[in-house]
Amino acid sequence: MNRILIVGYFGFSNFGDEWLLINLIKLIKKFATTKIDINVLYNIKKCKIVDDICYIPRWNLFWLFKIVYKVNNVVYCGGLFQDYTSILSFFYYLFIFLLAKLFFKRIILLNTEFSFKKIPYFIVYVLSYLSNFVVLRNKIELEKIKRHIKNKNKFKFSPDICYIEENNKDVLFSRSFKKVALIIKSGEKDVNLVKNFCKSLADRYRLVFIPFHLKEDYEFSLEIVKQIKNCEIRIWDKIENYKYMFDDIDLVITSRLHGVIISDNLKLPFICFSLQEKIRNFILSIYKTDCISLRGLNIESLENFVIYPNLKNDFCYQIEKIFKHLGRLRYI
């Protein structure tokens, strides 16, 4: 039996990470070549089993040692090794990594990228060298690492695994926007600029705030909504139901990575504003254009900044190809 431990930022009411987890489990089950036992480190107090998946309390050291010792493969999923990860979380994930190597476990870094500014970049090479397989979700980072790493075969590119839910139906894009969804990350550097932008936007469009992180983003959105009219907040409950929140949306404006991916999956025009390196590299890699800063967005000519999803992409094929390969290697 192949026993797998999935490591990520799970259990913190963050839509993007929970969406990643759901799709990762689906893909593992679909392409596993042997019987599998899936375990997930999760932000809970006690172990629980749901739909044959065992959820392990992430802060319980006894269970952490026990499960790492028990499994064959440790799969990291998401952007865990970057400056935007808190120092505590960074060292937590690094500790599990070293523990897995101590117990001679295979380590797969999946659906990830490395984004270090404050942390020495040699950590990237150490993690890359010690990992058994690395799947990066932007080609820019892939080419950067391949220039310095000898064993290039264990590095692969794959679009974000949430693209597996791609909608292939025929779509006629509307050039007239009436209702705009805002997926804004809390903690933007210039809060007043974000608020003023939303106020100006509300004069022209009906705004729908969709907080991805239920605690942090919701409070941030609520603070803005209290100051403007012509808007609402929609809260997600089950990940599987997210599409209903976008049924009447004409345009998505987002500073979150998975806000972009949702827009592409649902074939909704979108605008991405962000100065984060990981998001800029992702946009450049997938859409061949750059993000825009919020200061550069002009309400009067908003349509000039819109990105239209590529209806002919082969993201699903690329993702499935990677997971078939992982299955053949017995990593899943």
Side-chain angles (χ1 to χ4, degrees):
M1 176 180 287
N2 187 5
R3 294 183 171 88
I4 300 169
L5 173 63
I6 300 176
V7 180
Y9 186 72
F10 307 127
F12 293 93
S13 298
N14 188 316
F15 179 89
D17 292 289
E18 300 303 313
W19 195 26
L20 271 177
L21 179 59
I22 284 177
N23 283 302
L24 176 56
I25 291 172
K26 287 178 182 177
L27 286 163
I28 289 175
K29 288 182 174 181
K30 181 176 180 180
F31 292 101
T33 53
T34 59
K35 189 175 180 180
I36 54 173
D37 172 30
I38 301 177
N39 304 271
V40 180
L41 284 184
Y42 210 76
N43 185 36
I44 52 175
K45 293 182 178 180
K46 296 181 180 180
C47 286
K48 66 176 181 179
I49 298 176
V50 180
D51 297 330
D52 73 359
I53 308 297
C54 184
Y55 292 84
I56 310 293
R58 62 184 274 136
W59 297 115
N60 187 312
L61 287 179
F62 170 77
W63 273 104
L64 184 56
F65 274 85
K66 183 177 179 179
I67 200 64
V68 173
Y69 180 78
K70 174 185 174 183
V71 299
N72 309 107
N73 300 304
V74 177
V75 179
Y76 282 76
C77 187
L80 305 178
F81 295 109
Q82 53 186 341
D83 283 341
Y84 304 103
T85 302
S86 71
I87 294 298
L88 178 62
S89 293
F90 178 85
F91 284 108
Y92 170 79
Y93 297 127
L94 189 59
F95 169 72
I96 297 172
F97 189 99
L98 297 175
L99 186 63
K101 293 308 295 183
L102 180 65
F103 291 146
F104 302 102
K105 308 302 178 179
R106 290 188 292 258
I107 299 177
I108 299 92
L109 303 185
L110 182 63
N111 211 79
T112 191
E113 71 279 311
F114 300 110
S115 179
F116 291 150
K117 291 183 179 178
K118 301 174 184 176
I119 302 169
Y121 201 78
F122 78 85
I123 294 178
V124 172
Y125 305 125
V126 173
L127 293 171
S128 301
Y129 178 77
L130 294 178
S131 300
N132 294 85
F133 202 79
V134 181
V135 182
L136 296 163
R137 59 185 172 188
N138 80 71
K139 294 180 181 178
I140 295 172
E141 190 71 38
L142 178 65
E143 294 304 318
K144 186 177 181 181
I145 288 178
K146 277 190 171 183
R147 287 198 294 266
H148 303 281
I149 300 293
K150 291 183 179 180
N151 185 6
K152 296 177 173 58
N153 291 329
K154 71 177 181 181
F155 292 88
K156 301 292 182 182
F157 163 75
S158 171
D160 190 287
I161 60 174
C162 291
Y163 279 114
I164 203 69
E165 295 187 18
E166 179 188 3
N167 183 352
N168 291 314
K169 70 179 182 180
D170 293 332
V171 176
L172 180 63
F173 292 121
S174 172
R175 306 280 171 166
S176 176
F177 308 129
K178 296 180 181 179
K179 192 169 285 190
V180 176
L182 289 163
I183 304 173
I184 302 176
K185 185 177 182 179
S186 63
E188 295 291 339
K189 290 185 177 180
D190 196 333
V191 176
N192 289 327
L193 181 63
V194 175
K195 291 180 179 178
N196 291 332
F197 172 76
C198 292
K199 289 178 183 178
S200 300
L201 206 61
D203 292 336
R204 292 172 172 265
Y205 310 100
R206 173 74 178 177
L207 303 187
V208 179
F209 289 84
I210 303 179
F212 266 22
H213 196 298
L214 288 187
K215 182 179 179 182
E216 298 173 4
D217 291 358
Y218 175 75
E219 293 177 359
F220 184 62
S221 299
L222 186 61
E223 186 180 345
I224 298 174
V225 167
K226 287 179 179 178
Q227 300 178 24
I228 61 178
K229 297 180 180 179
N230 197 30
C231 61
E232 62 181 284
I233 299 179
R234 294 179 184 176
I235 304 296
W236 59 273
D237 50 1
K238 291 184 178 181
I239 299 295
E240 296 86 346
N241 298 333
Y242 76 89
K243 295 178 182 179
Y244 298 115
M245 294 192 296
F246 294 87
D247 274 348
D248 56 348
I249 298 299
D250 303 308
L251 173 70
V252 176
I253 299 179
T254 180
S255 63
R256 281 193 172 275
L257 180 64
H258 283 94
V260 172
I261 296 167
I262 275 183
S263 304
D264 202 316
N265 283 0
L266 298 179
K267 306 309 176 192
L268 291 172
F270 65 91
I271 296 173
C272 181
F273 68 91
S274 178
L275 296 177
Q276 284 191 20
E277 184 180 358
K278 75 166 188 175
I279 297 180
R280 291 189 64 191
N281 284 344
F282 181 84
I283 294 291
L284 281 168
S285 178
I286 299 295
Y287 303 101
K288 312 303 180 186
T289 188
D290 200 353
C291 291
I292 189 166
S293 69
L294 195 56
R295 292 185 181 278
L297 270 176
N298 186 343
I299 301 293
E300 301 294 330
S301 57
L302 202 64
E303 62 278 359
N304 294 335
F305 306 101
V306 174
I307 299 174
Y308 292 89
N310 181 3
L311 296 178
K312 298 181 181 179
N313 64 49
D314 59 350
F315 295 158
C316 289
Y317 169 77
Q318 293 178 59
I319 295 166
E320 291 185 350
K321 183 178 178 181
I322 287 292
F323 274 83
K324 287 178 182 177
H325 184 62
L326 289 171
R328 288 193 294 268
L329 293 173
R330 300 294 178 90
Y331 289 174
I332 63 170

